[in-house]
Amino acid sequence: MSNQATADRIHQIWCANLKRPNCPSDAPYFSLGGTTLGAIRLFGAISKEFDCLLPGSTVLLAPTISAQAQYLEEDLDKNEQIVQMTEDNGGSRVY
């Protein structure tokens, strides 16, 4: 998947989460009005969309749409913090 396709999917999730028609890709989540509880919901939605389990620290490590797209693209292959969900480890039933 391309970084732009990933960013587009994350953008849709952010807009729904923040109840905004558009979110700048370089604006941090909390500067757009996001809350801590909202961030938990956001990462639940992103985890479900990408069939993975993101650590809570992702909002600090990758606070923007662009950074999250890059984080997912790069780290799904190499980062042990992101757990790719499969049938063997519970799949999407975890959500």
Side-chain angles (χ1 to χ4, degrees):
M1 178 178 312
S2 75
N3 189 276
Q4 187 57 50
T6 300
D8 290 344
R9 290 167 67 189
I10 293 171
H11 179 264
Q12 291 175 347
I13 295 168
W14 274 47
C15 288
N17 178 275
L18 294 167
K19 297 178 177 45
R20 296 172 59 113
N22 194 23
C23 296
S25 64
D26 60 348
Y29 178 75
F30 292 112
S31 74
L32 295 173
T35 63
T36 304
L37 182 57
I40 293 167
R41 290 182 179 132
L42 176 73
F43 288 109
I46 291 172
S47 293
K48 187 173 182 177
E49 176 70 20
F50 290 92
D51 198 26
C52 64
L53 187 58
L54 296 174
S57 61
T58 305
V59 74
L60 301 173
L61 297 171
T64 66
I65 292 170
S66 296
Q68 286 178 10
Q70 183 176 354
Y71 184 80
L72 279 168
E73 288 289 321
E74 292 175 358
D75 292 339
L76 274 175
D77 291 330
K78 67 177 183 174
N79 190 334
E80 294 178 2
Q81 291 183 348
I82 298 176
V83 177
Q84 189 72 37
M85 301 305 292
T86 65
E87 284 296 319
D88 292 340
N89 65 13
S92 59
R93 292 183 303 247
V94 177
Y95 310 112

